Amino acid sequence: MKYNRILLKLSGESLTGEKGYGIDEVRLNEYAGQIKEAAQMGVQIGIVIGGGNIFRGLSGLQKGFDRVKGDQMGMLATVINSLALSSALSAIGQKNRTYTSIRMEPVGELYSKWRAIESMQNGEVAILSGGTGNPFFTTDTASALRGIEIEADAMFKGTRVDGVYTADPEKDPSATKFDTISFDEVYDRGLKVMDLTATTMCKQNNLSIVVFDMDTYGNLKKVLSGENIGTLVHV
């Protein structure tokens, strides 16, 4: 097995599925099924999920919300999504545990690196919610931070796009996909794999990022098995 422990970053916006807002139960259950398949392969899994399907701090700022309060609302949105994923995993028999970056028992346990690692070593999926617990940081940065903390072999960024392209493939039909690309080339080309803070943290700590299409069922298992799908971003 190439990967013993991974940090899986999921998009909150992808959870909307066909609904366009909130949580699509079909998409949620598909994610849970793929995560259980990965866990059955013996991979230890930590998960950070965004909250953009419910509330995004930056969009709140544009609507007149205080930035700090808006970001706190966004953090709570990630907790809602994390609880939904936890419920879906439990429903199909996959052991899991939800951690929160700020204290809010009994919603979830207060996050610590050591507790999260112990959970994963015991066969539980560790869902790491609440972002970094601080305003002005995205869930991209939270996933970079948590991935480094839990000593993940790589971060798997599940999106609706099947990798990193020379341009946005949804806007530019001539865009071509990279199989692999270095962090330096991501910088030089101005590609938006993750926000700059997250990308810099991953580079400095040698945490590779695998960008792949999570919305196609079975892709998580395929990419963990070494199939050539997605894009590897490396030092």
Side-chain angles (χ1 to χ4, degrees), residues 1-117:
M1 177 63 63
K2 184 177 180 182
Y3 301 102
N4 175 58
R5 180 182 301 151
I6 67 167
L7 188 289
L8 177 62
K9 167 62 166 66
L10 297 175
S11 163
E13 289 180 333
S14 290
L15 277 183
T16 61
E18 300 298 322
K19 288 187 172 182
Y21 179 79
I23 299 173
D24 182 294
E25 294 79 7
V26 173
R27 175 62 52 77
L28 179 68
N29 290 330
E30 287 176 348
Y31 277 5
Q34 291 195 74
I35 292 162
K36 182 179 180 180
E37 285 181 349
Q40 289 175 331
M41 296 169 67
V43 180
Q44 297 177 19
I45 306 169
I47 298 176
V48 170
I49 187 165
N53 57 319
I54 299 172
F55 190 88
R56 189 181 296 278
L58 277 174
S59 63
L61 181 65
Q62 297 165 1
K63 298 173 183 176
F65 285 93
D66 173 80
R67 174 64 191 271
V68 173
K69 292 188 184 300
D71 281 353
Q72 289 170 337
M73 292 166 71
M75 291 177 217
L76 293 175
T78 73
V79 176
I80 292 172
N81 285 339
S82 296
L83 292 175
L85 181 61
S86 172
S87 179
L89 287 168
S90 296
I92 58 174
Q94 174 57 52
K95 294 191 296 180
N96 66 90
R97 193 174 297 268
T98 302
Y99 293 92
T100 60
S101 58
I102 54 176
R103 190 174 296 281
M104 57 176 73
E105 295 93 344
V107 171
E109 295 183 29
L110 183 65
Y111 167 79
S112 84
K113 164 183 176 169
W114 311 112
R115 288 195 188 111
I117 289 176

Side-chain angles (χ1 to χ4, degrees), residues 160-212:
R160 62 174 184 262
V161 182
D162 63 345
V164 179
Y165 283 75
T166 53
D168 187 342
E170 296 179 347
K171 298 177 181 177
D172 183 355
S174 67
T176 57
K177 185 169 80 75
F178 296 97
D179 290 330
T180 65
I181 186 171
S182 70
F183 285 111
D184 286 341
E185 190 170 358
V186 167
Y187 292 139
D188 293 342
R189 289 176 172 267
L191 302 176
K192 296 180 180 179
V193 177
M194 304 182 86
D195 70 63
L196 191 59
T197 304
T199 307
T200 301
M201 287 181 66
C202 289
K203 180 187 176 185
Q204 289 178 336
N205 292 276
N206 197 22
L207 180 66
S208 298
I209 306 170
V210 180
V211 182
F212 72 105

